[in-house]
Amino acid sequence: MNAVILQNLVKRFGKKNALDNISLELPENCIVGLIGRNGAGKTTLLKTLAGYLRPTEGRVTVLGQQPFDNIRVLSDIVFMDDERYNDSAVLWDLVDQAALSYSRFDKVTALKLLDYFNIPVKSKIKKLSKGMKTLFSLVIALLSRSPLTMLDEPTIGLDAAHRKEFSSLLLKDYTNHPRTIIVSSHLISELEGLMEQAVLIDQGKLIFNKAIEDVQNYALYLSGHRRVLEELEGRHSIIYKESMGEMLVLGVVNSLSEEELRELESSGVEISAMSVQDVCVNLTATNKGGVLDVIAK
Amino acid sequence: MNKWIVIAVSIALVLSFTLVYLLSPNDSDYLARYTPENYITVAAIDVPLDGIRELDVVSSLFPFSYKTVTMDIGQLEIRVNKNISGNLLDFMRQNLNTELFSVPESGTRLNLEISFPRPVRNYMAETFGIVRIFEHYDELMEEHAEFMICIPENYKLVD
Amino acid sequence: MLSQNSRLRAMKSLLYSYYVDFKSFYGIYIGIMTGLLLSKFALSSSASGSSSLSAGLVSGVFMLPIAMIIITSNSELLKKFSFPVDRNMLVLSHIILILVLPVIMLLTSCGFHLLETLAAELTLSVAENFFYTWVITKDSFLVGFAMSYIIMVCIGGITWMVFSWFYRHKIATSVVCGTFLLALVYLRDFRDAFLKLINFIFYSPTPGILFLKLSAITLISFAAGYIPIKRMEVK
């Protein structure tokens, strides 16, 4: 069964399409990475799934029902972003509230984790550093064990050590309590080890929804003489191109046959896999050149 | 959440309401406190008893309230309610100053000035002020007065 | 059954969060009442002035609308959506607040009234120039309590309704309210009609009729305020 089904979802704010005709299905018990540039529509998508926003058009089904103003669905959803809690709220009260709200909430482990992260439960939210706030929200979100857990930019403000610990914690808790976890982040390289499925959106449109292995094999970098590589341009889908004199670097969607790859290698072309991060960046490039071009002008 | 504190506060609040209610008299008992028999004279002033005359109380009795009653008496009398907590009666007997001035231009008008040489403090444990929007309760509350100024029948009080 | 269970959990959690939020609100109220009590007995040379009962109403009439302005704001509602909640529950919890807070405030004012009386008794035993009178009857107390309650509820309800609309439809609500105020200031006939309406509401021969009129206004406010919250998106 799918945890999330979107059918031709459109969310419009005024005349702007924040989400533009998105259709996708996310399976149960899976970690999904939601990837996109700033303003791509990731948060809008998550807020629509969390029942905050009403779809302008199309249909949203979460855990078998539409989520907007539906407490049966919302009780099984947790959505964590960076504006969660009242600044004057005491952490202890929020832990109590989480225990009241979520039937699966593991309060004992939550308190142990907060203690481990040196987060004082008797202090107010406003007394915490940015990183501590994020850690606190993460602990609440993960320990709620909601069948649909959505984390919007969960590593903002965390230092490298805490980001690593977050990854371990998420994986361990997910292994023990499988559920659908959607993580949206800019730090794709850190998500890569976590996610089983990647959803890329850009300007409100779905670019792809693929298993992470497929994304890892999605494209290749070819680096070699312009004369050799220019021949490929008509035959294959190019998502990146950079010239350096007679040399050319191409990002090519991986539809090349074994024979073609062998030929390229024999012509001195260097072939390397394109990282998930580069795939996402290249697929969502703005065609305006780079930021250095702006300065050069 | 400290459940016991919440329960204790709730009980205290309900008890407060009940106590205020129980400590309050009913309307008829309340009114009985302000009948003329409950006021005792602390000062009596000789005034002319001939012809129709006017009396003006020119001083403020703050923080006390007073009412004026016309009755068949031969002097102008200042009376004090005996049900006021604290010994208001003795205090006023010792400290009340009254002066009567005639207004020469009018020929018939007298000005009464009352003062207390010592500072006084008065506290009224009043009911909700909002009840005064109803005539019945407004009249009921108006009955309360620490002082009663009794004037002979040939006098009329100037507003 | 599952749905009922989720609903109950969510409602308990929401009410708990409001209980936590309103501890500070109650603290402010206690602070105001304590300040008035102290100023009456310790700082002022005269202990005259309105009693705690009336002061409770006045403080409530100012504080409750402020609380309503805050709880209906987008940022506050967003925070409530940190945990599972639906819009019906949100409205219900707000109505519970509007109905319960005045009771708590008025009961607290009764407590302060007793403290005042105690302070008066103590002052009486040490100062010979201090006097006090109990100017409350059983009837006037009950009627005053009920009237103060319904006035606070009504003002709270109207404020809640206006701001439920305002935060969701700022321009439209501002235009309507602005036009209303301008008409009140500049159009004599409109002003007279409005004053007649106010007079009609408040001129009631009995407390019961006034209570019913204000209850009706409150119910209408609740219904009108429900519409924008039910339709709102959490942004």
Side-chain angles (χ1 to χ4, degrees):
Chain A
M1 188 184 157
N2 287 315
V4 173
I5 302 171
L6 305 181
Q7 293 166 301
N8 307 108
L9 172 65
V10 175
K11 180 64 201 172
R12 214 169 279 136
F13 294 116
K15 286 179 182 170
K16 187 179 183 288
N17 277 4
L19 299 175
D20 193 356
N21 204 28
I22 292 185
S23 296
L24 65 85
E25 293 178 359
L26 302 177
E28 273 187 333
N29 303 333
C30 166
I31 299 180
V32 180
L34 180 60
I35 305 163
R37 302 171 76 102
N38 288 330
K42 301 187 298 293
T43 302
T44 304
L45 177 59
L46 293 180
K47 285 189 169 179
T48 309
L49 296 180
Y52 284 24
L53 303 176
R54 192 201 303 264
T56 310
E57 286 169 29
R59 191 175 170 78
V60 178
T61 310
V62 174
L63 307 171
Q65 296 180 57
Q66 68 81 28
F68 186 81
D69 211 27
N70 184 345
I71 194 67
R72 286 175 69 179
V73 180
L74 299 181
S75 328
D76 285 336
I77 292 177
V78 68
F79 172 49
M80 179 228 142
D81 65 7
D82 60 345
E83 309 169 333
R84 285 296 70 197
Y85 307 115
N86 213 328
D87 271 354
S88 58
V90 177
L91 270 53
W92 180 263
D93 291 328
L94 292 171
V95 172
D96 271 347
Q97 209 192 332
L100 283 171
S101 295
Y102 302 109
S103 55
R104 303 172 191 86
F105 185 72
D106 185 348
K107 189 175 171 181
V108 176
T109 312
L111 291 174
K112 275 189 205 166
L113 280 171
L114 292 176
D115 186 44
Y116 171 77
F117 289 124
N118 290 321
I119 300 174
V121 286
K122 285 183 180 168
S123 71
K124 291 184 174 180
I125 286 280
K126 64 182 165 200
K127 300 278 178 194
L128 302 184
S129 66
K130 175 83 182 157
M132 278 187 169
K133 278 183 198 172
T134 305
L135 276 174
F136 176 76
S137 300
L138 274 173
V139 168
I140 297 290
L142 283 181
L143 275 292
S144 73
R145 310 256 162 82
S146 296
L148 178 61
T149 301
M150 294 184 283
L151 311 174
D152 192 11
E153 302 291 353
T155 52
I156 280 187
L158 296 187
D159 59 32
H162 278 142
R163 285 206 296 272
K164 203 172 166 189
E165 287 193 304
F166 155 71
S167 301
S168 315
L169 176 64
L170 190 141
L171 276 179
K172 178 70 180 166
D173 203 59
Y174 170 70
T175 311
N176 293 340
H177 305 276
R179 57 202 189 265
T180 306
I181 300 177
I182 304 177
V183 187
S184 100
S185 179
H186 296 102
L187 300 168
I188 302 164
S189 52
E190 285 183 13
L191 272 185
E192 205 174 325
L194 292 174
M195 57 187 168
E196 299 164 76
Q197 187 147 351
V199 174
L200 176 66
I201 58 173
D202 187 45
Q203 295 179 7
K205 290 194 170 77
L206 178 70
I207 306 297
F208 64 65
N209 171 23
K210 291 177 182 297
I212 192 67
E213 297 81 14
D214 293 342
V215 183
Q216 283 161 342
N217 297 321
Y218 183 75
L220 298 170
Y221 276 125
L222 308 177
S223 174
H225 200 276
R226 178 183 293 276
R227 180 172 34 81
V228 181
L229 291 177
E230 275 178 348
E231 284 178 19
L232 291 174
E233 285 190 55
R235 288 187 280 140
H236 295 284
S237 174
I238 309 295
I239 57 173
Y240 178 78
K241 184 177 178 182
E242 190 182 357
S243 302
M244 285 173 286
E246 284 302 302
M247 296 296 286
L248 190 64
V249 179
L250 285 185
V252 184
V253 174
N254 191 3
S255 55
L256 285 88
S257 64
E258 291 289 322
E259 193 183 339
E260 278 179 303
L261 287 171
R262 266 198 304 277
E263 269 179 32
L264 287 168
E265 269 179 329
S266 63
S267 310
V269 173
E270 279 180 37
I271 302 169
S272 58
M274 193 182 283
S275 68
V276 175
Q277 170 144 322
D278 281 3
V279 169
C280 296
V281 169
N282 292 331
L283 283 174
T284 57
T286 54
N287 296 326
K288 289 180 183 172
V291 70
L292 295 179
D293 295 336
V294 178
I295 297 170
K297 283 170 196 169
Chain B
M1 169 167 47
N2 195 333
K3 197 165 67 179
W4 294 109
I5 291 178
V6 175
I7 291 171
V9 170
S10 309
I11 292 171
L13 291 181
V14 174
L15 268 180
S16 302
F17 175 86
T18 315
L19 266 175
V20 175
Y21 179 77
L22 291 177
L23 287 170
S24 305
N26 56 35
D27 287 2
S28 52
D29 290 345
Y30 170 84
L31 284 173
R33 290 178 187 173
Y34 299 104
T35 53
E37 311 78 84
N38 284 285
Y39 288 85
I40 291 169
T41 306
V42 288
I45 310 151
D46 290 327
V47 287
L49 297 173
D50 55 319
I52 302 297
R53 289 172 182 273
E54 287 179 322
L55 179 76
D56 190 3
V57 182
V58 293
S59 58
S60 164
L61 291 178
F62 182 82
F64 299 108
S65 55
Y66 70 94
K67 54 186 171 186
T68 315
V69 180
T70 306
M71 51 175 65
D72 185 14
I73 46 175
Q75 284 180 303
L76 177 73
E77 291 184 19
I78 314 286
R79 296 182 184 180
V80 170
N81 192 291
K82 64 181 182 185
N83 296 315
I84 309 299
S85 296
N87 202 346
L88 184 62
L89 201 62
D90 282 352
F91 184 89
M92 286 303 163
R93 274 182 182 143
Q94 290 163 21
N95 294 293
L96 187 74
N97 283 344
T98 57
E99 281 186 85
L100 200 66
F101 305 96
S102 63
V103 182
E105 304 88 67
S106 68
T108 56
R109 183 164 166 172
L110 295 173
N111 285 353
L112 175 66
E113 197 172 295
I114 305 168
S115 60
F116 323 111
R118 288 181 59 193
V120 287
R121 300 179 72 198
N122 184 38
Y123 166 62
M124 284 204 293
E126 285 173 305
T127 191
F128 294 97
I130 192 75
V131 293
R132 283 182 174 260
I133 64 172
F134 303 107
E135 209 176 317
H136 167 72
Y137 294 106
D138 189 39
E139 285 169 2
L140 193 73
M141 296 301 120
E142 284 297 318
E143 283 301 312
H144 163 78
E146 287 88 2
F147 284 83
M148 181 188 271
I149 299 172
C150 305
I151 53 178
E153 282 174 328
N154 62 321
Y155 280 82
K156 196 177 86 179
L157 195 78
V158 177
D159 286 333
Chain C
M1 186 62 196
L2 186 69
S3 164
Q4 283 298 95
N5 197 21
S6 321
R7 197 168 290 279
L8 195 66
R9 271 186 163 278
M11 195 65 201
K12 269 168 78 175
S13 163
L14 184 62
L15 288 178
Y16 176 68
S17 81
Y18 275 121
Y19 158 75
V20 170
D21 290 351
F22 274 86
K23 274 199 294 194
S24 48
F25 172 86
Y26 189 57
I28 294 169
Y29 179 72
I30 295 270
I32 291 173
M33 296 300 282
T34 308
L36 288 172
L37 178 74
L38 287 176
S39 68
K40 211 176 287 180
F41 281 92
L43 306 174
S44 161
S45 61
S46 164
S48 61
S50 62
S51 75
S52 284
L53 296 181
S54 294
L57 169 65
V58 175
S59 309
V61 159
F62 282 101
M63 285 184 70
L64 203 63
I66 293 171
M68 293 306 117
I69 291 170
I70 294 169
I71 66 168
T72 47
S73 70
N74 288 326
S75 58
E76 282 300 309
L77 291 184
L78 174 67
K79 303 248 166 13
K80 293 300 160 203
F81 276 83
S82 304
F83 295 102
V85 62
D86 68 15
R87 285 145 186 85
N88 287 348
M89 271 181 215
L90 212 57
V91 170
L92 184 61
S93 66
H94 287 179
I95 290 175
I96 290 172
L97 283 178
I98 294 169
L99 296 178
V100 171
L101 285 177
V103 178
I104 295 171
M105 291 166 110
L106 289 172
L107 287 178
T108 307
S109 74
C110 293
F112 272 92
H113 188 83
L114 288 176
L115 284 177
E116 259 183 21
T117 310
L118 190 67
E121 285 287 351
L122 289 173
T123 315
L124 203 62
S125 62
V126 292
E128 61 163 7
N129 62 339
F130 183 86
F131 311 98
Y132 91 88
T133 326
W134 188 271
V135 197
I136 307 174
T137 66
K138 281 188 165 62
D139 270 11
S140 69
F141 175 64
L142 291 181
V143 168
F145 192 95
M147 282 301 119
S148 302
Y149 172 72
I150 197 66
I151 284 172
M152 285 164 82
V153 167
C154 189
I155 291 173
I158 291 171
T159 316
W160 176 79
M161 182 268 285
V162 170
F163 281 87
S164 294
W165 279 99
F166 175 74
Y167 288 120
R168 267 60 308 140
H169 308 279
K170 284 195 180 71
I171 296 170
T173 314
S174 303
V175 168
V176 170
C177 291
T179 310
F180 176 78
L181 288 174
L182 285 174
L184 213 55
V185 173
Y186 293 109
L187 300 178
R188 195 177 172 165
D189 289 347
F190 183 79
R191 184 167 60 237
D192 289 346
F194 181 72
L195 291 175
K196 264 185 195 165
L197 179 71
I198 297 290
N199 193 42
F200 165 76
I201 293 166
F202 280 95
Y203 180 75
S204 296
T206 65
I209 291 173
L210 181 57
F211 195 95
L212 284 178
K213 283 179 184 173
L214 294 177
S215 303
I217 293 171
T218 308
L219 281 176
I220 293 166
S221 299
F222 287 160
Y226 172 73
I227 299 165
I229 292 188
K230 180 67 183 169
R231 295 192 316 200
M232 75 170 180
E233 292 191 321
V234 185
K235 290 174 189 167

